[in-house]
Short mmCIF file of all heavy atoms in Angstrom, two decimals:
data_model
loop_
_atom_site.label_atom_id
_atom_site.label_comp_id
_atom_site.label_asym_id
_atom_site.label_seq_id
_atom_site.Cartn_x
_atom_site.Cartn_y
_atom_site.Cartn_z
N ARG F 9 -23.73 -24.14 -4.09
CA ARG F 9 -23.55 -25.15 -3.04
C ARG F 9 -24.05 -24.56 -1.73
O ARG F 9 -23.85 -23.39 -1.47
CB ARG F 9 -22.07 -25.49 -2.84
CG ARG F 9 -21.40 -26.23 -3.99
CD ARG F 9 -19.92 -26.40 -3.67
NE ARG F 9 -19.18 -27.11 -4.71
CZ ARG F 9 -18.70 -26.57 -5.82
NH1 ARG F 9 -18.88 -25.28 -6.07
NH2 ARG F 9 -18.03 -27.30 -6.71
N GLU F 35 -20.11 -20.51 -7.45
CA GLU F 35 -18.90 -20.66 -8.26
C GLU F 35 -19.25 -20.37 -9.72
O GLU F 35 -20.14 -21.01 -10.27
CB GLU F 35 -18.33 -22.09 -8.13
CG GLU F 35 -17.06 -22.30 -8.94
CD GLU F 35 -16.56 -23.75 -8.91
OE1 GLU F 35 -17.25 -24.62 -8.37
OE2 GLU F 35 -15.47 -23.99 -9.48
N GLN F 37 -17.79 -20.26 -13.59
CA GLN F 37 -16.65 -20.79 -14.34
C GLN F 37 -16.63 -20.27 -15.77
O GLN F 37 -17.67 -20.19 -16.43
CB GLN F 37 -16.69 -22.32 -14.35
CG GLN F 37 -16.35 -22.90 -12.98
CD GLN F 37 -16.55 -24.40 -12.94
OE1 GLN F 37 -17.70 -24.84 -12.86
NE2 GLN F 37 -15.48 -25.15 -12.98
N ILE F 41 -11.32 -21.10 -15.56
CA ILE F 41 -11.05 -20.30 -14.36
C ILE F 41 -12.35 -20.17 -13.55
O ILE F 41 -13.42 -19.97 -14.12
CB ILE F 41 -10.50 -18.91 -14.74
CG1 ILE F 41 -9.19 -19.07 -15.50
CG2 ILE F 41 -10.30 -18.04 -13.50
CD1 ILE F 41 -8.52 -17.76 -15.88
N SER F 42 -12.21 -20.32 -12.22
CA SER F 42 -13.38 -20.18 -11.34
C SER F 42 -13.29 -18.90 -10.53
O SER F 42 -12.23 -18.53 -10.04
CB SER F 42 -13.44 -21.35 -10.35
OG SER F 42 -13.88 -22.51 -11.00
N TRP F 44 -15.36 -17.15 -7.14
CA TRP F 44 -16.23 -17.60 -6.04
C TRP F 44 -16.86 -16.43 -5.30
O TRP F 44 -16.22 -15.41 -5.09
CB TRP F 44 -15.42 -18.42 -5.03
CG TRP F 44 -14.91 -19.74 -5.52
CD1 TRP F 44 -13.82 -19.94 -6.31
CD2 TRP F 44 -15.47 -21.02 -5.24
NE1 TRP F 44 -13.66 -21.30 -6.53
CE2 TRP F 44 -14.65 -21.98 -5.88
CE3 TRP F 44 -16.58 -21.47 -4.50
CZ2 TRP F 44 -14.91 -23.35 -5.81
CZ3 TRP F 44 -16.83 -22.83 -4.43
CH2 TRP F 44 -16.01 -23.76 -5.09
N ILE F 327 -12.82 -22.50 4.91
CA ILE F 327 -12.93 -23.07 3.56
C ILE F 327 -11.91 -22.50 2.59
O ILE F 327 -11.97 -22.79 1.40
CB ILE F 327 -14.36 -22.87 3.00
CG1 ILE F 327 -14.74 -21.38 2.95
CG2 ILE F 327 -15.37 -23.65 3.85
CD1 ILE F 327 -16.05 -21.10 2.21
N ASP F 351 -7.06 -19.43 -1.58
CA ASP F 351 -7.53 -20.55 -2.39
C ASP F 351 -8.72 -21.24 -1.74
O ASP F 351 -8.59 -21.77 -0.64
CB ASP F 351 -6.41 -21.60 -2.55
CG ASP F 351 -5.33 -21.12 -3.49
OD1 ASP F 351 -5.67 -20.35 -4.42
OD2 ASP F 351 -4.17 -21.50 -3.29
N PRO F 352 -9.85 -21.29 -2.44
CA PRO F 352 -10.98 -22.07 -1.92
C PRO F 352 -10.55 -23.54 -1.80
O PRO F 352 -9.92 -24.07 -2.71
CB PRO F 352 -12.06 -21.91 -2.98
CG PRO F 352 -11.69 -20.66 -3.73
CD PRO F 352 -10.19 -20.60 -3.70
N ASP F 353 -10.85 -24.15 -0.66
CA ASP F 353 -10.48 -25.55 -0.42
C ASP F 353 -11.61 -26.45 -0.95
O ASP F 353 -12.54 -26.82 -0.24
CB ASP F 353 -10.30 -25.74 1.10
CG ASP F 353 -9.82 -27.14 1.47
OD1 ASP F 353 -9.91 -28.05 0.63
OD2 ASP F 353 -9.37 -27.28 2.62
N ARG F 354 -11.49 -26.77 -2.26
CA ARG F 354 -12.55 -27.50 -2.95
C ARG F 354 -12.96 -28.80 -2.28
O ARG F 354 -14.13 -29.11 -2.16
CB ARG F 354 -12.05 -27.91 -4.33
CG ARG F 354 -12.63 -27.15 -5.41
CD ARG F 354 -11.92 -27.52 -6.72
NE ARG F 354 -12.06 -26.37 -7.56
CZ ARG F 354 -13.21 -26.03 -8.09
NH1 ARG F 354 -14.29 -26.76 -7.93
NH2 ARG F 354 -13.30 -24.93 -8.81
N GLY F 355 -11.93 -29.55 -1.86
CA GLY F 355 -12.21 -30.86 -1.25
C GLY F 355 -13.04 -30.69 0.01
O GLY F 355 -14.05 -31.39 0.22
N TYR F 356 -12.64 -29.75 0.84
CA TYR F 356 -13.37 -29.52 2.10
C TYR F 356 -14.76 -28.95 1.83
O TYR F 356 -15.75 -29.35 2.45
CB TYR F 356 -12.55 -28.58 3.00
CG TYR F 356 -13.16 -28.38 4.37
CD1 TYR F 356 -13.49 -29.48 5.16
CD2 TYR F 356 -13.43 -27.11 4.85
CE1 TYR F 356 -14.06 -29.30 6.42
CE2 TYR F 356 -14.00 -26.92 6.10
CZ TYR F 356 -14.31 -28.01 6.88
OH TYR F 356 -14.88 -27.84 8.12
N ILE F 357 -14.84 -28.02 0.87
CA ILE F 357 -16.14 -27.43 0.54
C ILE F 357 -17.10 -28.52 0.10
O ILE F 357 -18.25 -28.59 0.57
CB ILE F 357 -15.97 -26.34 -0.56
CG1 ILE F 357 -15.29 -25.11 0.03
CG2 ILE F 357 -17.33 -25.98 -1.16
CD1 ILE F 357 -14.86 -24.06 -0.99
N ASP F 358 -16.65 -29.41 -0.77
CA ASP F 358 -17.57 -30.48 -1.22
C ASP F 358 -17.90 -31.44 -0.08
O ASP F 358 -18.99 -31.98 -0.03
CB ASP F 358 -17.01 -31.19 -2.46
CG ASP F 358 -17.34 -30.40 -3.73
OD1 ASP F 358 -18.42 -29.75 -3.76
OD2 ASP F 358 -16.54 -30.39 -4.69
N ALA F 359 -16.95 -31.61 0.84
CA ALA F 359 -17.20 -32.53 1.96
C ALA F 359 -18.28 -31.99 2.90
O ALA F 359 -19.03 -32.77 3.50
CB ALA F 359 -15.90 -32.77 2.73
N ILE F 360 -18.37 -30.68 3.03
CA ILE F 360 -19.38 -30.13 3.96
C ILE F 360 -20.61 -29.59 3.23
O ILE F 360 -21.49 -29.00 3.84
CB ILE F 360 -18.79 -29.04 4.89
CG1 ILE F 360 -18.18 -27.90 4.07
CG2 ILE F 360 -17.73 -29.63 5.83
CD1 ILE F 360 -17.70 -26.72 4.92
N LYS F 364 -25.93 -29.29 -3.96
CA LYS F 364 -25.06 -28.71 -5.00
C LYS F 364 -25.84 -28.78 -6.31
O LYS F 364 -26.46 -29.80 -6.60
CB LYS F 364 -23.80 -29.57 -5.08
CG LYS F 364 -22.83 -29.22 -6.20
CD LYS F 364 -21.55 -30.05 -6.05
CE LYS F 364 -20.61 -29.86 -7.22
NZ LYS F 364 -19.37 -30.65 -7.09
#
Side-chain angles (χ1 to χ4, degrees):
R9 292 176 180 82
E35 181 185 7
Q37 288 173 284
I41 299 182
S42 285
W44 292 80
I327 58 171
D351 287 330
D353 184 344
R354 253 172 207 289
Y356 185 53
I357 288 170
D358 277 328
I360 57 175
K364 174 173 173 179

